[in-house]
Amino acid sequence: MGHMEDVARIAGVSLMTVSRAINSPEKVAGDTRERIEKAIAKTGYVPNLSASSLSSKRSRIVAAIVPTISNSTFAETVRGLSDTLDAEGYQLLLGQTGYDEAKEEALVFALLGRQVDGIVLTGVSHSNALVKRLKSLRIPVVETWDLSESPIDMVAGFSNFDAGGEIGRYLLAKGHRRLGFSGGPGDRTDSRLAGFRGAMKRTRDAHLTIALLPVGTTFRSGREALQILMEKDPALDAIFFANDAVAVGALMECQRLGIRVPQELAIVGFTDLDIAAEIEPGLTTVQVRSRTIGEEAARMLLTRFKGEVVTEPIRDLGFALVKRASA
Amino acid sequence: MGHMEDVARIAGVSLMTVSRAINSPEKVAGDTRERIEKAIAKTGYVPNLSASSLSSKRSRIVAAIVPTISNSTFAETVRGLSDTLDAEGYQLLLGQTGYDEAKEEALVFALLGRQVDGIVLTGVSHSNALVKRLKSLRIPVVETWDLSESPIDMVAGFSNFDAGGEIGRYLLAKGHRRLGFSGGPGDRTDSRLAGFRGAMKRTRDAHLTIALLPVGTTFRSGREALQILMEKDPALDAIFFANDAVAVGALMECQRLGIRVPQELAIVGFTDLDIAAEIEPGLTTVQVRSRTIGEEAARMLLTRFKGEVVTEPIRDLGFALVKRASA
DNA sequence: CTGTTAGCGCGTTCAC
DNA sequence: GTGAACGCGCTAACAG
């Protein structure tokens, strides 16, 4: 292994110069830097970042909290975060909440002890204790996957409410009146439903049937959701699934049951997974920029880390209704 | 915030007693422990883990290195790791290599500086420098997603070679002779191909056509792979795709082109994603236990952290050929 | 551009 | 069951 002292001795300089050669090379003369670099290579020296972070109060670690990484859309966000941060020498500490607010709070508190330089949260709804602590700490925080007028600090996402509303208006404009909704747990789902409902208010004869699902966005749960909804209201003529995987499962179940989509039943999903474009009929859905959300969140943090000001702390990355054959 | 000293003062004890109350509560008398806990709650004290890890040389952090988290099968492994480690108070530092060995090396070296307590790698093929360093460091390491007779330390996975072999024998037994293979980068893919080839050796009149893909396991790339292979050898009667998403894409392309599966062309995938069971025709594929791999790796590490011996450091989690309609 | 001094917040080791 | 002194490896703040 070897410590910094070994490197310093071999290079014939002081500890401090080695430290500088590593952290701000431009402040060290070319030839001394070279000597130090050789000494580092020779000893295989790897800096102890715990010591560094204790001393400097900067860890170069960012904590990312997502509901679950099994949902590929959050995985994409993590990917965007990781790739962007990695390029600047920051690393990612991952936490999963399982859509549990208490778990989120516990997780963040534990990670704060690591002196993380920044935190990325999913959603804009968190426990009071967490919000309070985070605000008082003045540590850079980015909330993602939704928007808020008053974020803890910064936010990068899109309006789930508006997206739900757009889908509602789209289906109503197409003449559908007996609508169904199905989604799993989570505030984002709630917002989409609220927006969907909002769109329906103006239309007197519109009727809504809801089926809430347990955690787990699988094709199979889509089949089940379809069955539940059709049982509750066999006259349903359109369904909005708050998740693409579930929507695709429902689409497959329609094929099996001989329900013609979109003639007998229109189906809309959410997220625009790969498969939405490939399946037959193509799935009408809402495209969201999962990867970009992660990248933007990372960029906002990096800007802060440099001591610069984030000019646009509320970043609306938008969404797009992608019209395909299913609705 | 507050430091440990504040807690100590309020509880009327020394620093050391607070430290013990946190790290080994059983060594502290019941009433003093309660006083300390109250003081902690009152001050909102969060231990500084950087200081802790500098002093104790244990970080309670595990590094997980995967090719990419966008591949849902690796996401599942990370999920298994995270959930299992989390339950024991360990956290996960995530790194992505993009299937690049040099990147892997750089990543691990950087993470070593964090004094990580354990490392989980994907695959059993790594740079010499990395292997050497890891062995000399005597830090617990688990390699995953494949097997090795001589792991760096421990390994949890299955034989990709054997899996490829089983698929080869299965297709040959069904009478197929003009075989195709398609896969992306990575040693696991290479092993599957090697096993597949091995199975073909005994059959004189068998013929193999190969199409290697760039990074990215999408449905679209499956469509393209099919086209490439059929162009190279229009008489192909069976194809083994080293990835399910790609296989499903190919299946969809067959539907579009009017190629009947499995009558005209048999298709086999790898990984048993959700969709494999749901698509029509069902995809014959190899089921692997992505989540379990992560859980087992975590358990092996946790055993080591406790100072216990891992009795079975080479853990074969197996695989299973799942026969559905596509082959 | 380079070196010196001091201390980051906690855990280890030994006493009590 | 509890406490005191020391040091983990590095960097901030200054001086030169």
Side-chain angles (χ1 to χ4, degrees), chain A:
Chain A
M1 285 280 284
H3 291 174
M4 195 186 259
E5 199 173 334
D6 305 332
V7 176
R9 196 174 343 97
I10 294 177
V13 296
S14 73
L15 276 179
M16 203 49 233
T17 307
V18 177
S19 174
R20 271 193 283 257
I22 292 171
N23 299 310
S24 35
E26 74 282 1
K27 290 183 181 172
V28 175
D31 53 335
T32 43
R33 195 172 58 216
E34 275 181 29
R35 287 212 315 284
I36 293 172
E37 278 163 2
K38 274 181 193 163
I40 289 178
K42 188 175 172 186
T43 56
Y45 169 67
V46 175
N48 182 329
L49 279 322
S50 289
S52 169
S53 101
L54 174 60
S55 181
S56 67
K57 302 183 179 308
R58 296 187 323 140
S59 61
R60 297 207 147 239
I61 292 184
V62 168
I65 314 291
V66 296
T68 167
I69 205 172
S70 292
N71 186 328
S72 67
T73 202
F74 293 131
E76 279 306 303
T77 300
V78 170
R79 170 97 189 271
L81 272 169
S82 174
D83 287 353
T84 309
L85 290 172
D86 193 275
E88 300 288 327
Y90 283 80
Q91 277 139 18
L92 201 68
L93 210 37
L94 183 70
Q96 300 181 76
T97 66
Y99 296 94
D100 178 348
E101 196 174 82
K103 181 87 190 285
E104 179 186 56
E105 180 182 317
L107 220 37
V108 175
F109 275 56
L111 297 177
L112 284 176
R114 301 260 177 223
Q115 316 299 103
V116 295
D117 292 344
I119 297 184
V120 178
L121 261 23
T122 305
V124 296
S125 165
H126 319 282
S127 81
N128 289 331
L130 182 56
V131 173
K132 196 174 159 190
R133 169 63 64 100
L134 252 19
K135 280 186 175 167
S136 75
L137 243 40
R138 305 183 164 283
I139 175 180
V141 175
V142 185
E143 293 168 275
T144 59
W145 271 92
D146 208 341
L147 289 179
S148 165
E149 308 262 308
S150 53
I152 296 174
D153 183 13
M154 301 177 278
V155 60
F158 60 92
S159 170
N160 286 276
F161 183 91
D162 288 353
E166 185 158 335
I167 290 172
R169 286 189 298 279
Y170 175 71
L171 290 176
L172 291 168
K174 284 227 163 186
H176 300 289
R177 287 298 178 270
R178 295 196 78 86
L179 308 180
F181 174 88
S182 175
D187 313 299
R188 265 97 44 219
T189 298
D190 296 347
S191 297
R192 290 168 206 165
L193 174 54
F196 194 62
R197 271 204 160 106
M200 292 176 68
K201 274 191 183 146
R202 304 176 197 164
T203 312
R204 287 261 172 257
D205 56 339
H207 182 263
L208 179 63
T209 303
I210 296 174
L212 262 19
L213 301 173
V215 178
T217 53
T218 61
F219 297 111
R220 187 163 305 280
S221 66
R223 295 187 186 275
E224 288 161 12
L226 181 79
Q227 289 169 359
I228 293 169
L229 283 170
M230 294 309 283
E231 196 168 309
K232 282 190 172 182
D233 181 0
L236 241 39
D237 57 11
I239 305 177
F240 166 29
F241 292 91
N243 175 284
D244 262 11
V246 177
V248 168
L251 220 44
M252 288 170 162
E253 188 66 11
C254 284
Q255 286 180 352
R256 180 172 301 180
L257 297 176
I259 299 174
R260 290 179 308 149
V261 176
Q263 296 86 343
E264 298 174 51
L265 181 69
I267 287 184
V268 179
F270 204 100
T271 315
D272 197 28
L273 297 184
D274 268 8
I275 195 173
E278 307 294 338
I279 199 172
E280 200 61 44
L283 179 65
T284 292
T285 185
V286 173
Q287 182 181 78
V288 298
R289 310 202 287 158
S290 318
R291 180 91 135 259
T292 307
I293 289 174
E295 291 167 349
E296 276 304 309
R299 270 185 221 116
M300 292 166 97
L301 289 178
L302 289 169
T303 303
R304 279 293 198 69
F305 296 161
K306 286 179 197 155
E308 296 168 14
V309 171
V310 174
T311 53
E312 200 187 336
I314 299 180
R315 201 154 309 181
D316 186 349
L317 269 19
F319 61 84
L321 181 60
V322 182
K323 298 169 190 173
R324 297 204 181 91
S326 75

Side-chain angles (χ1 to χ4, degrees), chain B residues 72-277:
Chain B
S72 67
T73 202
F74 293 130
E76 279 305 303
T77 299
V78 170
R79 170 98 189 270
L81 271 170
S82 173
D83 287 353
T84 308
L85 290 171
D86 192 274
E88 300 288 327
Y90 283 79
Q91 277 139 17
L92 201 67
L93 210 37
L94 183 70
Q96 301 181 78
T97 65
Y99 295 95
D100 178 347
E101 196 174 81
K103 182 88 189 284
E104 179 187 55
E105 181 182 315
L107 219 38
V108 174
F109 275 54
L111 296 176
L112 283 176
R114 302 259 177 223
Q115 316 300 102
V116 294
D117 292 344
I119 298 185
V120 178
L121 299 174
T122 305
V124 296
S125 165
H126 319 283
S127 81
N128 289 331
L130 183 56
V131 173
K132 196 173 159 191
R133 169 64 64 99
L134 252 19
K135 279 186 175 167
S136 74
L137 244 38
R138 304 184 165 285
I139 176 179
V141 175
V142 186
E143 292 168 277
T144 61
W145 271 91
D146 208 341
L147 288 179
S148 165
E149 309 262 309
S150 53
I152 296 175
D153 183 13
M154 302 177 279
V155 59
F158 61 91
S159 171
N160 286 276
F161 184 90
D162 288 353
E166 185 158 335
I167 291 171
R169 286 190 298 279
Y170 175 72
L171 291 176
L172 291 169
K174 283 226 164 186
H176 299 290
R177 288 298 178 271
R178 295 196 79 85
L179 308 180
F181 174 89
S182 175
D187 314 299
R188 266 102 38 225
T189 298
D190 296 345
S191 297
R192 289 168 205 165
L193 174 55
F196 194 62
R197 273 206 159 103
M200 292 177 68
K201 274 192 182 146
R202 304 177 197 164
T203 311
R204 288 261 171 259
D205 56 340
H207 182 263
L208 179 63
T209 303
I210 296 175
L212 263 17
L213 302 172
V215 178
T217 52
T218 62
F219 297 111
R220 187 163 306 280
S221 65
R223 294 187 186 276
E224 287 161 13
L226 182 79
Q227 289 168 359
I228 294 169
L229 282 170
M230 294 310 282
E231 195 168 309
K232 282 190 173 183
D233 182 359
L236 241 38
D237 57 13
I239 304 177
F240 167 28
F241 292 91
N243 175 284
D244 263 12
V246 177
V248 169
L251 220 44
M252 288 169 161
E253 188 65 10
C254 284
Q255 286 181 353
R256 181 173 300 178
L257 297 176
I259 299 174
R260 290 179 310 149
V261 176
Q263 297 86 344
E264 297 174 51
L265 182 68
I267 287 185
V268 179
F270 204 100
T271 314
D272 197 27
L273 296 184
D274 267 9
I275 194 173

